[in-house]
Amino acid sequence: MQRLEPGDLDRPAPWRRGLPFVGSTLSYVRDPLRMMRTRYDGCGAVSEGVFLGERWTVLLGPDACGAALKNADKAFASGPGWGKVVGPFFDRGLMLLDFEEHHRHRRLMQEAFTRPRLAGYTAALGPAVAAALDTWEAGPGFRVYPALKELTLDLATQVFMGGADLASPDELDEVNEAFIACVQAATALVRLPIPGTRWGRALAGRRLLEEFFGRHLEGKRAQQDSRPGDDLFSVLCALRGVDGSGLSDADIVAHMIFLLMAAHDTSTITISTIMRQLGAHPEWQQRLRDEAAGLPDCPDLDQLDALESFDLVMKECLRLLPPVPVVARRTVKDTEVLGVRIPAGRFVAVMLHLGHHLPEYWPDPERFDPERFARHRREDKVHRHAWEPFGGGVHKCLGMAFAGAEVKLVVHQLLRRFEWTVDADYRDTMNYRSLPFPADGQPVDLRSRERNFA
Ligand code: HEM
């Protein structure tokens, strides 16, 4: 396979064959980093291959990924790219809108993520996290991931919906299952409405989510004049553009479905990775505990911002395992990346994950070493796009600051309540069929600590 170098203008990208129809989908699902590395070594930063039955251009390494994120000639559209991966299940969520329409909705939604609002959300999160963690029963082999998933969905509904009136005590579990079904359809090869298949479960999940948010929307609209809330759902209902028009009911439901998925799936895996690494590196666990020792159980946003070691650990965990390893695009016109031609209508996989592990940017890349982000080292500064867990360009994560506050708050409260360890020979069991998650639930040996909450 001939490798193209930047400057080989007007040449098509090298083509890497895989199995018929599925192409490289299975190698990705089995071991994405290995697949990316092999492709990068063999074909370079821009290549072509088959995924999910379609021809894709694959971008690897910070130069190529950075070019697509920057999108200088507006050739890369997000909606049709992500739509191919996530199907109709997150249709018209902010990430799936493009160009003018995306710009208008994003400007409206930014209203819900200003610093004063974040401070308010953080204040609401503290007691909710405390109440949930107080129900955790410590013990050996505690499965962190499902417990965190329940917690973060609960937090997201409280903060972004102002709480949810549940039709039954199990309704939030059903909503969680529906989100899981929608996310897991991402790598389904059979994409037909057949009950019992991944696709069929996702269709049923989307219906349940539309019904759930539609029911709550009626309540929010009814409240608008008398006592409007300051949660995101209420803010979306109240938003008005310069011409005085607001968002339609269907748009609000679509934004809420996408946002709640974005808000809880990604923070769950981030906190789960942090627990996994702190369990294997007790010196870092203690360092974080000491750093926050003087803080109350529910610190405010400024206090959380000041926790530097927490920042280092979170950044390193997002480097090792970015919750969104790949972002999807589709070209709306002919373009080029690093001098390699990409025709209009092509699906494009922007594989951010590999850039986090390339030894030319990160010395000893597989080592957990949070200090690499410390002021005296700043290895992430070596390339503008070497560390991109939140993406870049106009679609850069809208919830980044919220995620930082939420993750730090949960980790802080965990450190006060528990100590935990992960066995030195523990082997990760990540599932990459959708967003990554630990197939074994991420077991840790969890022990309660004596607490003094004076
Ligand atoms: C550690 C946690 C998180 C990570 C790693 C993460 C990652 C990402 C990435 C990579 C994108 C860009 C996708 C693309 O370019 O196609 C994105 C977009 C987005 N994220 Fe996050 N996210 C996180 C948490 C959150 C939270 C907590 C929220 C909501 C409160 C959120 C809301 C969004 C939204 C609305 C978008 C779409 C932005 C747009 O298209 O304009 N995310 N996120």
Side-chain angles (χ1 to χ4, degrees):
M1 170 76 54
Q2 197 198 342
R3 206 186 140 100
L4 280 184
E5 297 302 336
D8 283 349
L9 269 169
D10 256 3
R11 290 182 50 186
W15 173 255
R16 193 176 185 90
R17 264 176 226 294
L19 298 168
F21 184 71
V22 292
S24 303
T25 317
L26 297 179
S27 338
Y28 176 88
V29 168
R30 261 186 240 119
D31 189 344
L33 254 190
R34 188 181 164 154
M35 183 236 103
M36 293 179 203
R37 217 172 251 138
T38 312
R39 180 176 277 272
Y40 185 67
D41 292 344
C43 310
V46 188
S47 60
E48 288 185 6
V50 171
F51 293 87
L52 304 172
E54 295 281 353
R55 187 165 173 169
W56 288 71
T57 295
V58 176
L59 304 182
L60 289 161
D63 288 319
C65 292
L69 293 178
K70 219 164 121 202
N71 200 9
D73 60 352
K74 294 195 166 55
F76 297 96
S78 180
W82 274 115
K84 176 69 201 167
V85 181
V86 298
F89 310 118
F90 296 102
D91 227 9
R92 292 197 58 76
L94 184 63
M95 188 179 77
L96 287 96
L97 299 182
D98 279 296
F99 308 119
E100 273 309 302
E101 188 180 36
H102 169 259
H103 182 65
R104 191 167 66 81
H105 283 239
R106 178 150 176 142
R107 274 189 55 193
L108 289 172
M109 287 177 73
Q110 263 161 353
E111 259 306 294
F113 289 91
T114 57
R115 177 101 189 154
R117 286 205 189 275
L118 283 182
Y121 298 156
T122 308
L125 282 178
V129 176
L133 293 187
D134 285 341
T135 66
W136 281 24
E137 285 181 17
F142 181 87
R143 293 170 74 241
V144 163
Y145 183 81
L148 287 171
K149 191 121 170 41
E150 198 181 315
L151 168 66
T152 55
L153 179 63
D154 203 30
L155 296 178
T157 47
Q158 297 210 21
V159 170
F160 295 125
M161 297 178 67
D165 295 327
L166 300 177
S168 74
D170 297 332
E171 196 180 20
L172 218 47
D173 289 340
E174 288 161 21
V175 168
N176 204 355
E177 289 299 319
F179 275 120
I180 293 172
C182 288
V183 171
Q184 290 215 335
T187 50
L189 291 168
V190 178
R191 298 186 159 214
L192 296 169
I194 303 172
T197 60
R198 258 196 277 160
W199 203 257
R201 277 196 295 274
L203 286 172
R206 172 80 193 196
R207 274 196 300 277
L208 186 143
L209 293 174
E210 281 177 3
E211 191 281 317
F212 178 76
F213 288 103
R215 176 156 51 82
H216 283 85
L217 178 64
E218 281 172 29
K220 290 284 168 196
R221 289 265 195 232
Q223 264 180 24
Q224 276 306 296
D225 298 328
S226 49
R227 43 181 183 93
D230 59 2
D231 56 279
L232 178 90
F233 209 168
S234 305
V235 174
L236 288 181
C237 291
L239 287 175
R240 291 288 172 269
V242 274
D243 61 353
S245 66
L247 295 170
S248 69
D249 285 2
D251 275 342
I252 294 176
V253 167
H255 282 315
M256 288 305 294
I257 292 178
F258 174 73
L259 216 113
L260 256 81
M261 181 279 292
H264 87 285
D265 253 353
T266 49
S267 1
T268 304
I269 185 65
T270 307
I271 304 168
S272 170
T273 311
I274 292 177
M275 286 194 74
R276 187 250 179 275
Q277 294 297 348
L278 294 183
H281 299 276
E283 70 291 1
W284 275 97
Q285 189 175 138
Q286 196 50 42
R287 179 164 159 179
L288 265 57
R289 196 171 280 121
D290 293 344
E291 183 177 57
L295 293 186
D297 203 34
C298 301
D300 64 25
L301 187 57
D302 290 337
Q303 289 170 317
L304 291 170
D305 277 349
L307 294 173
E308 284 182 20
S309 301
F310 279 60
D311 254 338
L312 301 181
V313 167
M314 183 172 167
K315 284 182 171 152
E316 178 67 338
C317 288
L318 288 171
R319 181 187 71 81
L320 287 168
L321 183 66
V324 187
V326 179
V327 304
R329 299 286 187 263
R330 190 170 193 186
T331 48
V332 290
K333 57 181 169 185
D334 292 350
T335 187
E336 58 83 26
V337 168
L338 306 183
V340 181
R341 180 159 41 88
I342 307 177
R346 175 64 52 77
F347 291 106
V348 180
V350 186
M351 299 202 164
L352 304 168
H353 195 167
L354 183 72
H356 290 193
H357 289 260
L358 288 175
E360 50 269 48
Y361 303 110
W362 307 97
D364 201 358
E366 301 317 313
R367 203 163 88 86
F368 173 75
D369 178 12
E371 288 268 341
R372 59 172 93 239
F373 289 93
R375 244 167 279 172
H376 63 286
R377 287 178 54 195
R378 287 308 301 259
E379 288 172 14
D380 55 314
K381 289 278 180 200
V382 68
H383 191 297
R384 222 178 140 212
H385 300 287
W387 185 80
E388 291 286 31
F390 294 102
V394 298
H395 286 284
K396 186 161 187 156
C397 180
L398 188 59
M400 194 167 83
F402 175 81
E406 181 188 26
V407 168
K408 283 179 174 181
L409 185 64
V410 173
V411 173
H412 166 61
Q413 293 201 0
L414 279 166
L415 289 163
R416 284 165 69 88
R417 285 163 177 73
F418 304 105
E419 285 168 6
W420 62 93
T421 41
V422 169
D423 216 59
D425 11 285
Y426 170 76
R427 290 285 158 264
D428 294 290
T429 60
M430 294 311 294
N431 178 316
Y432 288 96
R433 274 198 196 165
S434 54
L435 297 182
F437 69 93
D440 59 1
Q442 193 60 72
V444 304
D445 287 335
L446 193 69
R447 300 176 296 282
S448 294
R449 294 181 74 231
E450 285 292 315
R451 283 183 290 152
N452 174 6
F453 280 6

